[in-house]
């Protein structure tokens, strides 16, 4: 058995439905895959003793899962009062409209196309429901509309796909941009240093007990991959698919299409910073 204490971010043992902090309960969606890990973590957040709850990322359009989220809240004596989205990928947001029907809630998101109701989400917003306080942290990069939610009372941050509980995430080119993603990781690092955040509640994978360690690992990993891609270009590898086959040779081939998205984002970044020559349009 691997010692979790030496893994990046100190992941908890396993991914499961149930309480994660004093204010956060996970309901794991049944959509496990190479890209979604154990499945999507749908988070129910509430202040202890409150009869109201907030749900972050209802997950896929799976009726059984959506009803399980409602049932979990109701068994705890809570009514779901608001639905929030970290970003618009289907494994996080596809079930939001149906979930809103089941709960009678608004859906707030950065992307207007995902909202149900008049209110969106923006940097600096503070959301309060039943005494619970959440702070909106803009973290573009994985996608342009990616957000995190800072839960100060639990010294935790809900990261969606910006930081995962296991492995690393994809910069989903062309919507995602590497420069934005690196800035977002630095923003999360400042939460760990300046605001005392120590717990990551990710969109996939186990809870992480060492938020700063996780973010530092992500920053180091991105720097390493970027250097590998730059070297590959210098060595004559031209197309994203050629670079993936060279740089990601030790990665499961089923993940290569996702890796190619990140490579395209890395190539754009290297071009923008003058570190490699401009490529022709067909590369």
């Amino acid at each position: 058995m691997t010692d979790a204490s030496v893994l990046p971010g100190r992941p908890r043992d396993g991914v499961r439905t149930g309480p994660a902090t004093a204010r956060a309960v996970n309901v794991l969606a049944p959509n496990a895959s190479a890209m979604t890990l154990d499945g999507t973590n749908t988070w129910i957040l509430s202040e202890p003793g409150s009869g109201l709850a907030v749900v972050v990322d209802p997950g896929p359009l799976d009726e059984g899962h959506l009803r399980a989220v409602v049932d979990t809240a109701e068994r705890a004596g809570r009514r779901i009062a608001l639905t929030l989205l970290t970003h618009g990928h289907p494994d996080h947001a596809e079930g939001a409209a149906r979930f809103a029907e089941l709960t009678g809630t608004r859906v707030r998101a950065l992307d207007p196309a995902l909202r149900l109701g008049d209110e969106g989400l923006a940097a600096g917003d503070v959301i309060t429901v039943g005494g619970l306080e959440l702070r909106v942290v803009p973290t573009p990069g994985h996608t342009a509309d990616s957000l995190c939610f800072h839960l100060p009372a639990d010294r935790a941050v809900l990261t969606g796909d910006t930081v995962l509980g296991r492995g690393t995430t994809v910069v989903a080119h062309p919507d995602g941009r590497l420069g934005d993603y690196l800035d977002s990781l630095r923003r999360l690092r400042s939460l760990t240093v300046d605001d005392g955040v120590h717990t990551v509640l990710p969109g996939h994978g186990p809870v992480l007990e060492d938020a700063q360690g996780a973010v530092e690992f992500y920053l180091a990993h991105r720097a390493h991959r970027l250097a590998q891609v730059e070297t590959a270009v210098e060595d004559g590898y031209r197309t994203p698919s050629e670079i993936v086959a060279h740089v990601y040779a030790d990665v499961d081939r089923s993940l290569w299409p996702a890796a190619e998205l990140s490579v395209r984002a890395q190539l754009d970044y290297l071009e923008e910073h003058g570190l490699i020559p401009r490529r022709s349009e067909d590369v």
Side-chain angles (χ1 to χ4, degrees):
M1 179 180 293
T2 302
D3 183 358
S5 67
V6 302
L7 295 175
R10 291 200 352 249
R12 288 188 189 169
D13 183 21
V15 182
R16 57 178 64 88
T17 291
T21 69
R23 292 164 180 81
V25 173
N26 182 34
V27 182
L28 182 62
N31 62 332
S33 73
M35 290 298 294
T36 60
L37 306 181
D38 310 86
T40 300
N41 294 329
T42 294
W43 293 103
I44 303 173
L45 309 176
S46 57
E47 192 67 16
S50 173
L52 299 178
V54 175
V55 164
V56 177
D57 289 350
L61 184 54
D62 181 293
E63 189 76 10
H65 172 65
L66 300 178
R67 290 188 178 276
V69 176
V70 176
D71 291 345
T72 299
E74 290 182 346
R75 282 197 301 270
R78 296 187 171 99
R79 176 177 65 84
I80 297 168
L82 180 64
T83 301
L84 304 174
L85 298 177
T86 60
H87 65 296
H89 279 168
D91 55 314
H92 294 258
E94 184 185 38
R98 174 58 180 151
F99 190 71
E101 291 178 356
L102 292 173
T103 59
T105 61
R106 296 164 294 147
V107 177
R108 295 180 63 179
L110 180 61
D111 185 349
L114 300 171
R115 301 172 189 167
L116 292 175
D118 297 330
E119 288 187 280
L121 293 170
D125 282 354
V126 178
I127 300 163
T128 56
V129 174
L132 180 81
E133 179 183 297
L134 283 174
R135 300 174 185 173
V136 177
V137 182
T139 51
H142 169 66
T143 61
D145 69 329
S146 288
L147 297 170
C148 292
F149 297 102
H150 177 198
L151 181 56
D154 282 350
R155 298 171 64 190
V157 61
L158 290 89
T159 55
D161 282 354
T162 299
V163 173
L164 304 178
R166 185 171 68 250
T168 56
T169 199
V170 174
V171 179
H173 179 276
D175 184 42
R177 295 177 57 82
L178 181 58
D180 290 342
Y181 185 65
L182 294 174
D183 287 343
S184 293
L185 290 177
R186 295 182 189 109
R187 192 170 297 118
L188 290 176
R189 181 172 58 187
S190 74
L191 283 181
T192 72
V193 173
D194 301 330
D195 295 279
V197 166
H198 61 65
T199 301
V200 172
L201 305 176
H204 304 279
V207 172
L208 300 177
E209 303 283 8
D210 177 14
Q212 184 173 352
V215 174
E216 295 287 1
F217 169 77
Y218 265 58
L219 284 165
H221 172 79
R222 283 295 162 199
H224 178 63
R225 283 296 194 210
L226 196 60
Q228 287 181 305
V229 170
E230 183 179 2
T231 299
V233 173
E234 292 171 351
D235 289 345
Y237 296 92
R238 294 187 65 253
T239 68
S241 59
E242 289 173 348
I243 293 169
V244 168
H246 176 66
V247 172
Y248 292 79
D250 59 341
V251 173
D252 187 331
R253 281 177 173 258
S254 69
L255 299 176
W256 281 15
E260 184 170 326
L261 297 179
S262 284
V263 164
R264 289 179 179 275
Q266 290 161 8
L267 290 170
D268 282 356
Y269 180 90
L270 291 168
E271 278 188 359
E272 290 163 6
H273 288 78
L275 298 171
I276 61 172
R278 287 280 175 184
R279 294 162 291 153
S280 62
E281 292 298 320
D282 61 341
V283 175

